Amino acid sequence: METPASLLPPGAGRYAPSPSGDLHLGNLRTAVAAWVLARDSGRSFRMRVDDLDAARARPGVAERQLADLAAIGLDWDGEIMWQSARSHAYAAAADQLADQSLVYECYCSRREIAEAPQAPHSPPGAYPGTCRDLPEAERERRRSALGPGRVPALRLRATVDELTITDLVQGHYTGIVDDVVLRRGDGVWAYNLAVVVDDAEQGVDQVVRGEDLLSSTPRQVHLADLLGLPHPQYVHVPLAVNAAGQRLAKRDGAVTLADLAQEGTTTRAAIARIVASLGGPEGADSIEALRGVVTAESLRSGPWVVA
Ligand code: GLU
């Protein structure tokens, strides 16, 4: 029986897979770390499927990801949140920002952005602000020049250009805050907006996720500030890498539960590898063995080399 969301204790951790392919050992390990830190701190644990781009979602992938998470022993509270069903919430948040004059239309293609000269003080990689202050006549012209099926993207008029966040594993991190996309030119709501809106909606106050998302965090914190939402605690977990030190990927061989099963490795054996990688007792094949073992401190030991 699922616990109704209204009966959950305050505070939650979460895991939020994007259904782009099967989860590999590194993804599963991050999910386990998120689960242990939430449960050990008395938080509930929520699940969300980041299927914003429903048109591109491959059928059955999210279901397999959820089945794999359950197979390694994760449990979660309340209903699963599916981002594809939450456009109304993202539109409401964009409206709230627009009411504060913090949203503008952007007509730039990726190429135009890459080729645009950087504004003198903007950090490398930041949106150069091409469409920030266009006169209305120019907006009209560029709007009518958009190709079929395109709408103007919506961008945030950011009010700072960098921000320092505190992460329990990484310490203080200062990163770019630029005019992030809120809605893309194909009408799909952007990840950075959705994640902030959804974490607040699910009562998430502890975000444990891969280190690859650290650089997006200042943008998300700025969005939360402008929307009047609380900041969660952040724990960015070092990634799993292959023997060459590159981020673990499908090409590295048997790295998903399905691949491992094919070569005769049981799910229990896969769990044991994850448990050992997180500092649990050798040979323990239940994630319960990690209760009290995984901490922000223990996660500082660097990447997990999956060889
Ligand atoms: N869905 C994102 C991913 O799989 C993670 C989002 C998050 O944890 O904030 O990369």
Side-chain angles (χ1 to χ4, degrees), residues 105-207:
E105 289 185 356
C106 170
Y107 319 93
C108 294
S109 64
R110 253 172 236 241
R111 183 151 156 227
E112 283 168 321
I113 295 173
E115 289 173 356
Q118 284 283 328
H121 300 294
S122 78
Y127 176 65
T130 321
C131 293
R132 197 175 226 253
D133 298 308
L134 290 181
E136 190 47 40
E138 179 62 11
R139 289 196 181 281
E140 277 297 334
R141 197 189 65 72
R142 297 199 57 169
R143 215 175 271 138
S144 56
L146 289 171
R150 307 298 295 177
V151 291
L154 297 179
R155 283 189 185 271
L156 176 73
R157 194 178 288 279
T159 62
V160 298
D161 53 22
E162 63 170 38
L163 197 136
T164 301
I165 62 126
T166 304
D167 182 276
L168 293 188
V169 172
Q170 316 281 340
H172 296 300
Y173 171 81
T174 302
I176 300 176
V177 177
D178 62 353
D179 288 356
V180 282
V181 171
L182 302 173
R183 193 190 65 199
R184 302 186 334 209
D186 58 2
V188 174
W189 291 99
Y191 157 72
N192 281 310
L193 178 67
V195 72
V196 169
V197 170
D198 290 344
D199 280 336
E201 175 67 26
Q202 285 192 307
V204 168
D205 64 353
Q206 181 184 63
V207 168

